[in-house]
Amino acid sequence: MAGSGDEALYSRQLYVLGGGARRLAGAAVLVSGLRGPGAQAAAALVLAGTGRVVLHDRGAASTADRAHQFLLGESDVGRNRAEASQQALAELNPGVVVTAHTGELSEAFLASFQVVVLTEAPLEEQLRVGDFCHAQGICFIVADAKGLAGQLFCDFGERFVIDDPAEGDPVCAAVQHISQGNPGVVTYTRTEDSHGHLFCNGDLVTFSGVEGMAELNSQEPVPVRVLDASRLEIGDTSSFSPYLRGGLVSQVRLPQVHSYEPLRWALAKPKIRVATPEELPRSRSLHAAFQALHAFCGEQGRLPRPRAPADAERVLELAQSLGVQQDPLDEDVVRAFASVSAGDLCPVAAIVGALAAQEVLKAITRKFLPLDQWLYFDALECLAVEGAAQLTEEDCAPRGSRYDGQIAVFGAAFQEQLGCQKYLVVGAGAIGCELLKNFAMMGLAAGPGGDLTVTDMDTVALSNLHRQLLYRSVDISKPKSVVAAAAVRRMNPNVRVTAHQNEVGPATEPLYGDNFFRRLDGVASALDTLEARAYLESRCHRCLTPLLDSGTEGPRGNVLAMVPPVTKPLGPAGTPEDGTFPLCTLRYFPTTIQHTLQVGCAALAQHPAKKPWHLCLPFPFPPLAMARQWAAGRIWPQLLPAGSPSSSASPVMDFPTPWAWAGGPRGHKGGLSQCLTSASPLQWARDEFEGLFQLPAEHINRFMEDPAFLEQLPAKKALEVLEQVLGSLWERPQDWEDCVRWARRHWQSRYHDAIAQLLHTLPPEHEASPGVPFWAGNRSCPHPLTFNPDNEEEEEERHLHLHLGAKQAAFGRVGLWTAPGCPGALPPQDTHLEYILAAARLFAQAHKVPPCNDRAAAQTILRSVVLPPFEPREGLQIPLTDEQEAQAPVDHRRLAELTQDLLQRRQELAGSEEVQVPLMEPIHFEKDNNIHMDFITAASNLRAENYGIPPADWLTSKRIAGRIVPAIITTTAAVAGLACLEVYKLVWGCQDISYYRNSNLCLSDCLLLRIQPLPPPTYRYGGREWSCWDRLELRAVGADGQEMTVQEVLDWLQRTYGWTVTMLLHDHTVLYNSEEDEETRAQQRAQRLSENLKDAGEPPRRELELLYVCEGEDAEDEDTCPPLLCSLP
């Protein structure tokens, strides 16, 4: 059932993993080795909902384990690692069976698992287990982390089937034309939100809804060759009928079969995954280094001592003796790797463990291409940073501390520096939790003078629990920052962490001012809105505070390092695509499921909506949008039919009233004109919801309270509101049966009558101009629906085959997915009845009528409803563009009549004792309300069926309508680990840009790209070159010990830089302007800096950033001079 507990918990993850996620609950996974990487992998698998996770480790937990194994408490030291970790992991997700195993990994024991993960196991153990798993068809993964390097290996057997190898949904486009030829050329219409090429060479596609060249509709999937951004070559169409109009071309994803070599063979001839060819020699050197390390351990019975040159040289000799290197061995890489291989770093463990967990999820869900077959990762550049490069064996020797694994890499003095750090973490969501966990393990702010502040305005929600590991079900509704800070203290009681529940923005500058930011050593951003990110970047830029900005969307993530004055500032984020479409498209020419939903999304643009940070990856929208646009009253015809309140029709008749007939109050954007497009059904559905259940209630309540508010509105808007109020009063139900009848009339007006009227006005054969069909290209000719309260499985099958084709229908039930207990990928079996029930319940709620959940009773009522036959209106004018509708004249006479009639009706209602005040209950759309989503999904899919658009399932509709960003624990854990590697460099005070890295991660392809940030831009001003980080700093204390006057500031600039200033400003306040008259200039020069600001109404500040224009400079130029920062006494 939609909205079940599982769906609510895993919804963000389901959007990433697709239909294969249903296999997780039945999977059994063994994780062997419960140090850092194993703990991270196991935690991710438990949070993801894997059915059974078995922990294996034969070693005892040590004090040093607590710097990278976050599941262990102080009391667990000395206990078996697997047993000590079991309870903490079980608490992460009560729905997962977590057990511990401390014996040997016998073949009988291994045979019960679908996936086996070995972390930090000896090579002999890896080979033995790998051979067995390969022979038995068990997916086998090796994950290892040593110091600043990591290793990952996958063997998924000789025949591993991948159901869906790619991210996102298959693309779909409206056909504009198909030529007759060999090959035939398909011209398609790109969607408004598409970027680059929709299709790739070799993609398989099917066709549906094509008129004329109908032979294509029944074809098997055919490969395409891309000609350009809107044309494809397909097979021979020379014998087909001429293309007439319409149709969709849809990408088909077929399962792929891949074969993998066993570990024993893959060691000698490794296939290594790299982001760029330049990385391959380094990865091959690491491949040899890891094997040499195993040989060293076998020879010496231990790992190389930290920073011991003799041990590093021995590892190098062993690597050279292996003879498996295809490229010259990078000796510096091997030495550096060996010199810190005894170290254990939480960030590296997080990265390696997260990548291993993602490969496990691929093995279970058959979603995304698995790693083929090796991946190597390192951050050895950290060792070349000034300070780290000079460390000795003594500096890195163990101290009996929990941080010994980190000391082995960076030394004891560095650990003390970590403890003194002052950091701000903004956001305690998925990335924020991982950052805080890493900081606790690293010992950041765990020493004298240290301070870690975390701020987040949100509270813990159920959907957070599958990827935000600091929270449990008992924490739901509690402040995230408070719960997260308490979890940090449990992990490391020495961390000095403070929780805030504030937004970091202009309103909180008194709390998070310049002094606050300047005392920080760094800021870690885990924000999910572009606006908040841009503000935080501007504050850090102004205060010269390092910023690490992280973000994810699904399996993709990145980390950007902004290090003053070393790197380029992050800069303003690009304007994100808002997911909205032109109203003319939504009204008349919908072609995708996005359009039927998008109307509602456009309405929501008025509200603050969370957007994926700076990735902003586009994703498809389903048919819901148009439904909401229509209901929001944005798709009403320009003329009302007979039967309106102003006619003589009886209100008791089951006849479409103007409210139902037109689809919304006149004046709203929509109506029959909306029907001209197959615009996104999901957008349309969102507006439908708002126009039926929110706006009418708000307007009628306000009208009953104060009818004079209409006088403040433009005439067109006032008429629209009056008609909404009229419709609400006309349709007031007395009981549940009235609500069902209203829903039935409304269904008829939306999905039959409005479409029938449209086709009467613009019939299928209508021509835009002589010889040019009107219904062609991106205009899909719709068809009316016939209501059937009993439309069950046969309607579902008919819809599937009609729109996807017989071949794709066969794949539909496999490729499209279903969450446990949720509706399937296809439209609900009885979409018509689902719409009626959802609409009637919402209508009842809005009118304060008790609802009823009896489906059979509703069907009985529906069978008794008799509607008059549809009679088209003649001469109806339908605007084809937004401009035409905007120019439509206002009927002032009708406005006056409605105002008078409604004032009289208001008096009658106000005098009635039976009327409840407020008269109606506005219903605001909530994505987590199942009834709301039932309506949106049904309305959208019905609209989609009108226009031959493939439907969207319940969860897909929820993602699009709710603007939910797909998320998964593996990506967030890996991204947080990458960010913390940059923290190490900041703590060293690194000022060399070559050591910093911006990271881009794509777990669906197992790709990790780390590149050097760009240097800061420079410019010339006043005869010298300036960096974008440069600023002029002035302690604005005058000769009298008081705050400087404007004249004194002008004199300082003249004396220090030789600049004659003609204009001095603070934001938009002019402090001095040489073009004013002499008296005004004298007054300006004599004023103290803060006096002028006080006169301008600005809040008092102790630090001012001033801008200026000098002689010979164009006052219109922007950002051409370094800012002047004045510190007031």
Side-chain angles (χ1 to χ4, degrees), residues 984-1027:
Y984 287 137
K985 302 164 190 177
L986 292 173
V987 175
W988 279 116
C990 177
Q991 294 294 299
D992 188 333
I993 194 173
S994 66
Y995 299 132
Y996 286 101
R997 297 291 183 269
N998 287 339
S999 299
N1000 291 278
L1001 180 72
C1002 181
L1003 292 187
S1004 59
D1005 291 325
C1006 207
L1007 283 176
L1008 172 58
L1009 179 64
R1010 301 175 70 233
I1011 57 176
Q1012 179 180 308
L1014 294 174
T1018 60
Y1019 59 92
R1020 293 195 65 79
Y1021 183 80
R1024 57 168 285 189
E1025 187 173 75
W1026 301 83
S1027 162

Side-chain angles (χ1 to χ4, degrees), residues 57-384:
D57 199 306
R58 306 191 73 182
S62 67
T63 300
D65 285 338
R66 299 190 62 215
H68 57 96
Q69 217 280 33
F70 55 90
L71 301 170
L72 300 176
E74 187 173 357
S75 61
D76 293 319
V77 174
R79 295 181 61 199
N80 176 274
R81 288 194 197 94
E83 293 177 339
S85 304
Q86 185 271 334
Q87 182 178 352
L89 283 171
E91 291 174 354
L92 284 177
N93 191 340
V96 175
V97 177
V98 182
T99 59
H101 176 72
T102 60
E104 293 187 359
L105 298 180
S106 66
E107 293 184 354
F109 177 73
L110 293 170
S112 63
F113 299 100
Q114 284 79 54
V115 188
V116 170
V117 182
L118 296 188
T119 69
E120 304 189 43
L123 182 58
E124 295 75 13
E125 181 89 335
Q126 295 176 10
L127 292 170
R128 180 182 70 83
V129 175
D131 288 343
F132 175 80
C133 289
H134 187 84
Q136 298 298 315
I138 299 171
C139 295
F140 177 62
I141 297 170
V142 172
D144 205 351
K146 290 291 185 286
L148 282 162
Q151 174 193 62
L152 190 64
F153 169 79
C154 291
D155 170 16
F156 287 4
E158 296 180 2
R159 182 178 173 80
F160 183 78
V161 179
I162 303 149
D163 293 336
D164 188 357
E167 290 180 55
D169 301 320
V171 297
C172 180
V175 175
Q176 193 168 15
H177 184 264
I178 306 174
S179 68
Q180 288 177 296
N182 187 12
V185 176
V186 178
T187 304
Y188 62 89
T189 303
R190 299 168 55 78
T191 59
E192 293 85 349
D193 64 336
S194 61
H195 303 270
H197 293 276
L198 292 182
F199 299 93
C200 299
N201 288 330
D203 277 355
L204 295 175
V205 301
T206 58
F207 292 86
S208 60
V210 174
E211 297 185 39
M213 197 176 286
E215 296 90 338
L216 284 174
N217 294 331
S218 58
Q219 269 202 338
E220 300 285 313
V222 298
V224 301
R225 188 171 79 88
V226 176
L227 297 179
D228 54 39
S230 59
R231 293 187 306 150
L232 306 171
E233 276 188 358
I234 56 174
D236 186 359
T237 61
S238 57
S239 62
F240 291 173
S241 306
Y243 174 79
L244 181 59
R245 61 173 166 258
L248 296 174
V249 54
S250 303
Q251 181 189 42
V252 177
R253 292 180 184 163
L254 299 180
Q256 296 182 12
V257 179
H258 286 246
S259 178
Y260 299 86
E261 300 291 349
L263 176 62
R264 195 175 298 274
W265 290 9
L267 277 171
K269 295 183 178 180
K271 289 188 289 184
I272 302 176
R273 185 76 163 125
V274 292
T276 64
E278 292 75 20
E279 295 180 8
L280 188 56
R282 186 181 188 90
S283 291
R284 286 176 174 162
S285 294
L286 287 170
H287 182 73
F290 268 92
Q291 289 186 67
L293 186 64
H294 282 294
F296 182 93
C297 291
E299 178 183 278
Q300 303 290 331
R302 60 174 175 83
L303 289 166
R305 290 186 297 272
R307 304 283 180 158
D311 285 357
E313 288 300 323
R314 180 54 185 157
V315 172
L316 176 58
E317 291 172 5
L318 291 169
Q320 292 168 335
S321 68
L322 291 172
V324 299
Q325 195 66 18
Q326 299 178 19
D327 296 307
L329 192 67
D330 190 326
E331 297 183 358
D332 290 338
V333 167
V334 177
R335 287 192 188 95
F337 164 77
S339 70
V340 294
S341 58
D344 292 304
L345 299 178
C346 178
V348 176
I351 297 165
V352 174
L355 267 61
Q358 184 64 54
E359 296 306 306
V360 174
L361 296 178
K362 292 178 185 179
I364 298 171
T365 65
R366 309 292 175 116
K367 173 71 174 178
F368 304 138
L369 289 172
L371 172 63
D372 187 22
Q373 288 189 262
W374 293 94
L375 177 74
Y376 286 92
F377 157 81
D378 79 88
L380 294 173
E381 74 278 356
C382 293
L383 300 181

